[in-house]
Amino acid sequence: YLTNMRINASIELLKNKNLTIDEIALKVGFSNGNYFGKVFRSYLDISPGEYRNTKSFITVDHLIGNH
């Protein structure tokens, strides 16, 4: 549950291009950007950076059902 909340919160923060991936990781409760990237990829099959660069964001509802 907590990881779902962190990933969902990170999706909103990824829309802000002024924040680095490391800053987002710390804001949502991950110890570092590297670990955050691994967890994010395990949920969405895409890295946070790749996700940020996509034109259409995956909805939060899509995440909740995955894990």
Side-chain angles (χ1 to χ4, degrees):
Y1 174 79
L2 184 57
T3 302
N4 263 338
M5 296 302 293
R6 288 176 173 166
I7 295 296
N8 289 340
S10 72
I11 286 172
E12 288 302 311
L13 293 173
L14 282 166
K15 294 176 184 177
N16 180 352
K17 302 249 183 196
N18 295 325
L19 293 172
T20 67
I21 301 298
D22 283 336
E23 288 170 334
I24 292 170
L26 295 175
K27 284 182 180 286
V28 298
F30 288 96
S31 57
N32 61 59
N34 188 30
Y35 180 62
F36 165 61
K38 288 179 183 179
V39 174
F40 192 95
R41 185 181 291 276
S42 77
Y43 271 69
L44 294 178
D45 295 324
I46 189 172
S47 74
E50 290 168 332
Y51 181 85
R52 172 181 265 175
N53 293 328
T54 60
K55 296 287 184 204
S56 61
F57 286 94
I58 299 169
T59 63
V60 172
D61 294 340
H62 175 75
L63 291 178
I64 295 170
N66 280 351
H67 292 269

